[in-house]
Amino acid sequence: GLARPWLRLLAREGYRVADVLDRLNQLLLDDATETADAAARALVAADGRPAPPGGPAGSGGSVASGGSAEPAVPAAVRQGEGPQTRFLSLLYGELAPFDGGVRCTLASAGHPLPLVLRAGGEVLTAAEPQTLLGVVEDETYTSGSFELWPGDSLLCVTDGVTERRCGPRQFDDGDGLASALAGCAGLDAQLIAERIRRLVHEFGEKPPEDDLALLVLQTD
């Protein structure tokens, strides 16, 4: 939810796919910096003194056991704590139909990589791994483009799919997701999604602990 308004704004302003990730990365870092600055100002206003353990924190300040009043310190800057850095994994792209197919431009930031299932059964990785957003200052993100032809399918998933556990093993160990997708050759988009979801559920004895989200796009 945090990134959606920013993504809509950047898309409306015509940023290219890789530039959207660059801008969003900087927005997250700037937001974290503003939060840290606000916390530091609050701490300075309190003369650097943490609130007493168990003491109330309100707009009027807290009262020490000796009866003297001292300014309240927000919970985020009390002793041993600090502002939380926000980071984000994201798969972002654009689709441009043309006569006979669709041109896809994708960029991944710390997200499970999308896969392409060709009509003939070959499975390809459709993006390069890159750093999470909101972690590295001045990171430069890149995108890649490819074509989907009739019968090709694009699979995008969340880490609830790739990191589904069965004991020490994860579903995507040994390219497990790519192998599962290869077994979907000849299926339509809905059946591919249903098959992958079923295989993920069957991988472990217990129900999945994380949300499972899949997106399958297939070219007619």
Side-chain angles (χ1 to χ4, degrees), residues 141-165:
Y141 291 88
T142 61
S143 62
S145 297
F146 57 93
E147 284 74 38
L148 290 177
W149 304 100
D152 290 346
S153 302
L154 174 66
L155 172 66
C156 307
V157 303
T158 59
D159 58 11
V161 172
T162 55
E163 297 177 3
R164 167 78 159 124
R165 286 194 169 275

Side-chain angles (χ1 to χ4, degrees), residues 17 94 102-107 118 126-127 142-148:
V17 170
E94 294 178 349
V102 177
R103 182 171 180 79
C104 304
T105 302
L106 297 177
R118 295 297 186 190
T142 61
S143 62
S145 297
F146 57 93
E147 284 74 38
L148 290 177

Side-chain angles (χ1 to χ4, degrees), residues 42-50 73:
L43 189 59
V44 169
D47 295 328
R49 291 174 294 181
V73 181

Side-chain angles (χ1 to χ4, degrees), residues 14-200:
Y15 283 91
R16 296 177 302 174
V17 170
D19 294 335
V20 167
L21 268 64
D22 288 341
R23 292 290 298 143
L24 189 54
N25 182 59
Q26 195 58 52
L27 285 167
L28 286 166
L29 289 166
D30 289 347
D31 186 63
T33 299
E34 290 177 6
T35 301
D37 288 345
R41 287 193 296 271
L43 189 59
V44 169
D47 295 328
R49 291 174 294 181
S59 59
S62 59
V63 180
S65 58
S68 61
E70 62 181 26
V73 181
V77 292
R78 289 180 187 165
Q79 189 171 8
E81 300 181 12
Q84 298 297 309
T85 300
R86 289 191 283 191
F87 55 87
L88 178 71
S89 72
L90 179 70
L91 177 64
Y92 181 77
E94 294 178 349
L95 303 176
F98 62 88
D99 188 19
V102 177
R103 182 171 180 79
C104 304
T105 302
L106 297 177
S108 175
H111 200 82
L113 299 179
L115 299 174
V116 170
L117 173 63
R118 295 297 186 190
E122 181 184 11
V123 175
L124 306 171
T125 302
E128 295 294 328
Q130 298 181 94
T131 307
L132 286 163
L133 298 172
V135 175
V136 179
E137 186 83 25
D138 297 327
E139 180 78 359
T140 299
Y141 291 88
T142 61
S143 62
S145 297
F146 57 93
E147 284 74 38
L148 290 177
W149 304 100
D152 290 346
S153 302
L154 174 66
L155 172 66
C156 307
V157 303
T158 59
D159 58 11
V161 172
T162 55
E163 297 177 3
R164 167 78 159 124
R165 286 194 169 275
C166 179
R169 297 184 299 122
Q170 294 186 345
F171 184 76
D172 198 34
D173 287 350
D175 293 327
L177 181 59
S179 297
L181 183 58
C184 297
L187 301 180
D188 63 24
Q190 181 175 345
L191 290 177
I192 291 174
E194 291 175 355
R195 178 180 173 84
I196 297 296
R197 184 178 294 275
R198 176 174 57 80
L199 291 173
V200 171

